[in-house]
Amino acid sequence: MEKELVVTQTITRLTSLTIPPELGLRRDPPPRAKVTSEAFWDLYDSTTLFYTAIYDAVVRQLHVFAPPMLNFSLVVKRAQFYLNGQKLDAPHVIHAEKFDQLIFVNIPSGSILTMAVDGTESAMPVLSCDSARFAGRRVVYTMSRNNDLAWIKDWMIWNQQMHKADAVLIVDNGTTAYEADELAATLRSVAGYNRAEVMQVPSRYGPDITTAHRAQDGAFLQTALMNAFWMLWLRYARAVLNVDVDELIVSASGEAIFDAVESATFGLVMATGHWRYAAPGSPVVRHRDHTLMLPGDTACPPKYCLRPDGLAARQTLKVHGVKNFKRVPFVNREHFTFLHCRNISTSWKYDRSKCDYGAMVEDSETKTLLKQVYSETIRE
């Protein structure tokens, strides 16, 4: 039985700002998305104006991260902003891929940002950049919703044993299967981690392919918050690994990805994924069961490990890469890959249980590797 460690840990709930209901507005769909079902509006974030506001005392700037404002832009242009009651000059607006950023410059610190527009007034808390939160840590970062706690624990064990992770940040996007303190208890139960954070985010993730053409254009949350939390906490880490709970990074040489990124050109190491499947029929599926492969399977989009002092870290972060670095030839993707465990999923996006099992073969290398990490409970 593993000994529960004493770790530094907090649970934070993100408080966002919604469009004032008195204005009678909802966000338009993205320009290239074509709504095909009314269910789109149940999934699409049509009301959040700003996700979070972050103050950087070093440069005396306030950064507000938002979904693409689209038709809300005119509201923001008409608005007057205040920080702790002090009037602010109009912000500079940056339009990035899948999110917008408002930047207020040369201002003192404050705890409450207020927006007054058309006779309405709304307020949200301001977070302060924390250089100590993950300073010097090798952080594993992910967004999760209703992932089984056993999956999360196994994923953490892999990243610690295989890659020397010592800190974890999970953005919990509206989990209903368990409480935040249960998730936190799971995080602190894994040996080797001395910093564990749960950030609760109730905002809508975005539409799925059954509700719109180019539905992915309306999935703003994940990209926006990666960049927001990078600014808030992660840019002070030693390195950050962006990988989902169903993804296990593998090294052809046995080198930990956190070691590799220490000397990587531009501070970036990328890994392409390959699907692995668990045999059907098991009532409880774990990472360790994913020993089957489908010959000729299409590779999965890459994930990456990033060093904050590298050139790549100056760019906008994406789910599957870094702006201007996603397809560059000098980023090595052959040395590192990841096992994309097909059945570690709640099938929230699509049904991942439907697979061509008759054409699959066992991958002996994957089975051996999984057995090394999960030797106590691996199924023979």
Side-chain angles (χ1 to χ4, degrees):
M1 182 176 180
E2 293 180 1
K3 181 181 179 181
E4 186 170 296
L5 299 180
V6 176
V7 300
T8 303
Q9 180 184 72
T10 59
I11 300 173
T12 307
R13 185 174 179 85
L14 197 69
T15 302
S16 300
L17 189 146
T18 58
I19 192 77
E22 297 90 338
L23 300 182
L25 297 174
R26 71 178 183 182
R27 177 178 284 103
D28 288 340
R32 294 188 296 175
K34 181 180 178 181
V35 177
T36 58
S37 167
E38 280 300 307
F40 172 88
W41 297 104
D42 295 328
L43 301 172
Y44 181 64
D45 194 339
S46 59
T47 60
T48 298
L49 184 58
F50 305 140
Y51 286 130
T52 187
I54 300 172
Y55 182 72
D56 188 340
V58 175
V59 292
R60 300 181 75 244
Q61 292 182 356
L62 176 65
H63 290 242
V64 178
F65 290 83
M69 288 182 285
L70 301 174
N71 56 310
F72 290 173
S73 294
L74 293 178
V75 174
V76 173
K77 287 181 180 179
R78 293 197 304 270
Q80 176 61 60
F81 292 93
Y82 303 86
L83 187 62
N84 283 19
Q86 178 178 331
K87 183 183 289 189
L88 301 178
D89 291 335
H92 172 59
V93 180
I94 296 176
H95 301 291
E97 184 176 335
K98 293 195 175 183
F99 71 97
D100 285 346
Q101 194 172 346
L102 283 66
I103 304 176
F104 299 87
V105 299
N106 298 320
I107 60 173
S109 62
S111 58
I112 299 294
L113 177 67
T114 302
M115 182 185 77
V117 59
D118 297 350
T120 70
E121 193 170 282
S122 307
M124 68 185 302
V126 174
L127 304 178
S128 295
C129 294
D130 185 351
S131 61
R133 186 73 56 127
F134 287 107
R137 303 295 182 203
R138 293 174 157 189
V139 186
V140 187
Y141 171 88
T142 198
M143 179 176 282
S144 175
R145 176 184 171 91
N146 288 330
N147 279 300
D148 191 285
L149 293 175
W151 297 346
I152 293 173
K153 184 172 183 177
D154 287 348
W155 171 79
M156 289 180 63
I157 289 171
W158 181 277
N159 288 316
Q160 202 290 314
Q161 292 192 16
M162 299 294 286
H163 299 291
K164 304 179 183 178
D166 61 14
V168 59
L169 169 57
I170 291 188
V171 179
D172 187 89
N173 182 214
T175 286
T176 57
Y178 42 80
E179 299 298 324
D181 58 354
E182 296 177 81
L183 173 57
T186 297
L187 302 190
R188 65 174 178 265
S189 72
V190 181
Y193 290 84
N194 48 32
R195 182 98 221 180
E197 299 283 349
V198 175
M199 175 65 81
Q200 293 183 286
V201 177
S203 301
R204 293 178 180 179
Y205 180 85
D208 61 33
I209 58 175
T210 67
T211 65
H213 174 66
R214 292 193 63 92
Q216 70 274 14
D217 288 359
F220 311 132
L221 186 70
Q222 192 169 9
T223 301
L225 293 190
M226 284 181 67
N227 288 275
F229 298 147
W230 179 267
M231 178 182 180
L232 180 67
W233 291 337
L234 295 175
R235 60 187 170 136
Y236 305 104
R238 184 172 175 182
V240 177
L241 174 62
N242 166 40
V243 64
D244 290 339
V245 171
D246 62 345
E247 299 167 346
L248 303 177
I249 297 288
V250 174
S251 169
S253 67
E255 182 184 21
I257 197 167
F258 282 112
D259 286 342
V261 80
E262 296 282 347
S263 58
T265 303
F266 305 111
L268 178 67
V269 174
M270 299 186 71
T272 299
H274 301 280
W275 287 111
R276 292 295 180 268
Y277 305 80
S282 175
V284 180
V285 178
R286 305 282 285 273
H287 292 81
R288 62 181 66 93
D289 301 314
H290 287 73
T291 61
L292 301 179
M293 63 180 292
L294 186 62
D297 238 351
T298 303
C300 305
K303 289 301 181 68
Y304 58 92
C305 191
L306 187 63
R307 196 180 73 238
D309 64 353
L311 183 62
R314 302 178 189 177
Q315 304 295 318
T316 302
L317 307 187
K318 301 182 180 183
V319 176
H320 297 291
V322 179
K323 183 179 179 181
N324 297 325
F325 284 83
K326 188 174 180 180
R327 292 184 173 87
V328 291
F330 47 76
V331 176
N332 189 341
R333 298 189 191 183
E334 297 179 358
H335 187 57
F336 288 95
T337 59
F338 65 86
L339 307 177
H340 203 169
C341 299
R342 180 82 172 194
N343 305 99
I344 300 298
S345 174
T346 61
S347 291
W348 64 275
K349 187 182 292 186
Y350 59 89
D351 187 356
R352 283 182 25 177
S353 66
K354 296 179 180 179
C355 306
D356 185 10
Y357 287 104
M360 291 183 191
V361 297
E362 185 166 82
D363 179 0
S364 58
E365 291 185 8
T366 294
K367 183 174 182 179
T368 298
L369 195 58
L370 291 170
K371 189 173 182 178
Q372 289 175 0
V373 176
Y374 303 119
S375 58
E376 295 183 3
T377 52
I378 187 86
R379 292 189 182 94
E380 296 293 346

